[in-house]
């Protein structure tokens, strides 16, 4: 049996800097479970954000989290907690956490409970200031790394040893 995880890794940084790309690179050789969120246009009648499994899946009405500019915390509580409960891998992916889910009490509780667990967590934190995101970032087992255009390539090797 593997030793319990003592540190989880979350990446943060400006939009478009390559956080999710770095996450995909770091997951090579692992079987992730959990979720990833994607923003899409053209699938629904306006821009929307969908919660997909860590691997596979396509944006559809049944995994719609919210339309851009609107938010329904109940969707995070339903879809997000279900995704976090599926532990069929060796790394729990949370790509990404942002301010939209801050009012989803069940989802926020599931995220914080996962951080107390033994499965390593790899995630992305949006640059926003909410009590939920501060709680994730300040969790004693969480390491937050800021990704920039200047350091993202160096971080590939440095962080690969982390997982």
């Amino acid at each position: 049996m593997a030793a319990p995880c003592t540190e989880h890794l979350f990446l943060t940084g400006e939009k478009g800097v390559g956080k999710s790309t770095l996450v995909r690179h770091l997951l090579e050789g692992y079987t992730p479970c959990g979720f990833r969120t994607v923003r899409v246009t053209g699938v629904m009648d306006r821009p929307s954000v969908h919660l997909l499994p860590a691997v596979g899946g396509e944006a559809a009405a049944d995994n719609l989290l919210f339309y851009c500019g609107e938010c329904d915390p109940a969707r995070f509580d339903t879809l997000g907690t279900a995704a976090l409960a599926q532990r069929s891998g060796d790394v729990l992916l949370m790509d990404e956490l942002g301010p939209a889910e801050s009012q989803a009490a069940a989802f926020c509780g599931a995220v914080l409970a996962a951080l107390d667990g033994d499965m390593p967590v790899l995630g992305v934190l949006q640059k926003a200031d909410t009590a939920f995101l501060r709680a994730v970032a300040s969790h004693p087992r969480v390491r937050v790394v800021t990704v920039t255009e200047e350091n993202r390539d160096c971080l590939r090797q440095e962080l690969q040893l982390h997982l």
Side-chain angles (χ1 to χ4, degrees):
M1 183 172 160
C5 176
T6 58
E7 187 176 79
H8 306 296
L9 176 64
F10 280 86
L11 306 177
T12 193
E14 299 300 326
K15 289 183 180 182
V17 77
K19 300 177 299 289
S20 294
T21 300
L22 181 54
V23 163
R24 283 191 298 276
H25 176 79
L26 295 174
L27 287 173
E28 290 175 7
Y30 292 94
T31 303
C33 54
F35 67 88
R36 58 195 172 89
T37 57
V38 295
R39 184 179 190 270
V40 297
T41 56
V43 172
M44 309 301 276
D45 59 343
R46 54 193 166 175
S48 55
V49 175
H50 298 258
L51 188 135
L52 304 179
V55 177
E58 294 182 10
D62 64 336
N63 56 30
L64 172 69
L65 279 175
F66 59 89
Y67 289 107
C68 294
E70 301 174 9
C71 187
D72 179 5
R75 298 294 290 167
F76 283 100
D77 284 339
T78 303
L79 297 173
T81 55
L84 291 173
Q86 299 297 325
R87 302 289 176 93
S88 58
D90 49 14
V91 174
L92 183 59
L93 177 64
M94 298 182 193
D95 185 11
E96 67 189 39
L97 300 177
E101 53 268 40
S102 294
Q103 299 305 311
F107 176 75
C108 293
V111 168
L112 296 174
L115 298 178
D116 289 329
D118 289 339
M119 181 175 275
V121 175
L122 176 59
V124 172
L125 291 176
Q126 287 183 9
K127 287 196 87 147
D129 187 25
T130 68
F132 168 61
L133 296 177
R134 284 192 305 274
V136 171
S138 65
H139 189 281
R141 293 173 58 196
V142 166
R143 176 182 175 203
V144 178
V145 174
T146 300
V147 179
T148 66
E149 288 184 19
E150 294 77 24
N151 73 359
R152 66 183 175 199
D153 294 330
C154 295
L155 288 175
R156 283 184 174 214
Q157 282 190 316
E158 179 185 325
L159 297 177
Q160 195 159 24
L161 302 174
H162 174 81
L163 290 177

